[in-house]
Amino acid sequence: MQNQIVRDNYTFQNFIYELVSLIRELNKEQRDAKNEDWNTMIKRLIEKPDVQTEIALPIYGVLLDSPFIELGDFKIYKQEALKDKYSKSSNPVNTAIDSDYYLAQTVTAKSLDKCREDAEKNFFRFENVANFITAGFHKTYKISLFNNWFFSQVNHLTFTENQILGGGKTLHRFDPVKIETPYFSDKVNGYGEVWRLITSKRNDLQNKILESIEWSGKASVETDDNKAFLLYMIAIEAILNYSHPNSLYTPITNSLADSVAFLLGKDKESRIKYATSVTNLYGKRSGIVHGSKGQISDLDLHTAFVYSHHIVKKILFEEPYKSFETKERVCKYLIKEKKYEMGEK
């Protein structure tokens, strides 16, 4: 319990620093360490006062009318609001603000370094979740925390007998997202609760849901179709790929196809279509991984995109799935209880 408190409140570097300090003290006293020394150090770390700080970094690809909005435990500030906020500080820092918007989170730990570490980890997840929520098949939008590069372009030179001509072509361009709509923040009909998955204490199923969302979010802004397809398939596997530990003979493709079919299908005919489709997609996935197949079709990519999103939404928002606590429980329900409930043999 004490060790967990230390891990939750200090970085590894913080702990090493304290440990080195203890060793130096022991060297000065020319004695070996005792259990009491260790316990005293741990006690001192635990009893240090909490540090609470708000950490912010630039966010690109969003539009906002209000000074700020809240999304779970995060805030997005307009540049003016952030300037006003920190101009009130008794020790203002002259920091160049190079973005119109900033993403911020208030973090509590016992060291400032740990606050920064936790916030940075959550910011990475925020970006993936944001891109999952804003995703469209045509990759119109992109939210980024680490650069403001929103288009890909190829430039070329044409050499003729008398001159050199320049030219180029924009391959892809992303538009900013109006993130102030209820779609992003509404807790009933929107994604208001999804943001809390990033910072809340999660059960096994919620961990898998967040993992799937992140893979799908990465896929939604990946301009290479083959890579995007693989990421969507990983997102599906993350939440529905399950093999019973005592089963040695059920291929992963069969169990995954069955799980998707019984989750999304409404009748026998639609379930057969889903199972056939997933089997086909998994074959394409294996072909890419093993280098035996070429470019993924638009239909394959669109199907993987739709499945990855529908699966997450179904498990996240609908009963009985949202009441389950483990991925195993969801998969067992789909391939056993629901199968027989629907009269499948």
Side-chain angles (χ1 to χ4, degrees):
M1 180 64 179
Q2 288 184 328
N3 291 342
Q4 185 62 50
I5 294 173
V6 172
R7 283 194 294 268
D8 289 344
N9 284 277
Y10 295 93
T11 66
F12 180 72
Q13 289 77 12
N14 292 152
F15 182 77
I16 292 299
Y17 177 83
E18 294 291 336
L19 189 58
V20 168
S21 296
L22 173 60
I23 293 172
R24 285 173 177 166
E25 291 177 12
L26 295 173
N27 283 337
K28 285 182 181 179
E29 297 174 10
Q30 296 185 338
R31 66 180 181 85
D32 295 332
K34 301 177 181 178
N35 286 339
E36 183 181 350
D37 298 313
W38 174 266
N39 293 335
T40 299
M41 183 188 76
I42 297 299
K43 185 173 182 291
R44 182 173 68 249
L45 290 174
I46 291 174
E47 291 180 349
K48 281 188 179 182
D50 288 340
V51 175
Q52 186 177 79
T53 182
E54 188 173 33
I55 297 175
L57 82 170
I59 182 171
Y60 305 97
V62 299
L63 292 174
L64 193 63
D65 292 326
S66 303
F68 71 90
I69 61 167
E70 296 186 42
L71 298 172
D73 290 333
F74 300 91
K75 288 184 179 179
I76 297 179
Y77 289 99
K78 293 182 78 170
Q79 183 188 108
E80 295 79 8
L82 195 67
K83 284 182 176 178
D84 292 342
K85 180 179 178 64
Y86 288 100
S87 66
K88 299 174 183 178
S89 171
S90 60
N91 182 31
V93 178
N94 293 322
T95 303
I97 297 178
D98 63 349
S99 174
D100 292 332
Y101 304 96
Y102 265 66
L103 176 69
Q105 184 193 5
T106 299
V107 191
T108 302
K110 293 186 180 295
S111 83
L112 191 58
D113 287 340
K114 182 61 176 175
C115 290
R116 290 174 178 143
E117 181 180 84
D118 288 347
E120 288 168 2
K121 178 176 64 178
N122 291 334
F123 288 151
F124 274 102
R125 285 177 168 163
F126 181 97
E127 180 182 87
N128 293 328
V129 171
N131 283 317
F132 170 85
I133 294 174
T134 61
F137 174 66
H138 296 292
K139 301 177 183 176
T140 307
Y141 305 109
K142 178 181 181 180
I143 293 176
S144 176
L145 301 177
F146 307 103
N147 63 69
N148 58 356
W149 182 71
F150 283 94
F151 64 92
S152 55
Q153 184 170 328
V154 58
N155 296 311
H156 56 255
L157 296 174
T158 302
F159 294 88
T160 67
E161 185 176 344
N162 300 318
Q163 59 185 331
I164 302 174
L165 302 174
K169 179 181 180 181
T170 298
L171 301 178
H172 199 95
R173 187 177 188 90
F174 294 101
D175 296 323
V177 178
K178 294 182 179 179
I179 202 167
E180 209 166 358
T181 64
Y183 177 77
F184 291 96
S185 57
D186 194 314
K187 296 180 180 179
V188 178
N189 299 313
Y191 282 94
E193 286 300 318
V194 175
W195 306 104
R196 297 192 182 278
L197 282 179
I198 302 172
T199 54
S200 64
K201 185 176 181 180
R202 300 179 296 273
N203 60 34
D204 174 74
L205 179 58
Q206 290 168 334
N207 272 324
K208 296 303 179 183
I209 290 172
L210 182 57
E211 183 181 334
S212 181
I213 287 173
E214 287 202 73
W215 284 117
S216 190
K218 292 175 183 177
S220 69
V221 294
E222 173 55 63
T223 56
D224 184 305
D225 286 350
N226 277 14
K227 291 180 181 178
F229 178 81
L230 288 178
L231 291 171
Y232 282 131
M233 294 305 295
I234 292 172
I236 295 170
E237 291 175 46
I239 201 167
L240 284 184
N241 176 25
Y242 172 76
S243 297
H244 192 281
N246 295 327
S247 175
L248 301 177
Y249 306 106
T250 303
I252 181 176
T253 311
N254 290 356
S255 61
L256 191 65
D258 284 348
S259 293
V260 174
F262 285 105
L263 178 68
L264 301 182
K266 295 181 179 180
D267 52 40
K268 184 174 183 178
E269 182 178 354
S270 66
R271 292 195 296 274
I272 291 174
K273 288 181 179 179
Y274 275 117
T276 303
S277 176
V278 171
T279 301
N280 176 62
L281 291 178
Y282 204 83
K284 299 286 182 68
R285 168 211 179 275
S286 298
I288 295 175
V289 171
H290 299 294
S292 60
K293 297 240 178 140
Q295 189 72 20
I296 288 298
S297 71
D298 286 346
L299 178 59
D300 293 330
L301 185 61
H302 182 263
T303 303
F305 161 76
V306 170
Y307 287 1
S308 67
H309 280 72
H310 284 184
I311 288 166
V312 164
K313 291 174 185 176
K314 189 98 172 178
I315 294 176
L316 193 58
F317 296 125
E318 295 186 20
E319 293 289 3
Y321 312 106
K322 70 177 186 179
S323 296
F324 295 154
E325 294 189 352
T326 65
K327 169 183 173 177
E328 179 182 0
R329 180 69 183 95
V330 170
C331 293
K332 282 186 174 180
Y333 174 82
L334 290 171
I335 62 181
K336 288 184 66 176
E337 296 176 36
K338 192 168 185 180
K339 182 175 182 178
Y340 288 106
E341 173 187 309
M342 292 179 171
E344 295 291 327
K345 301 299 181 183

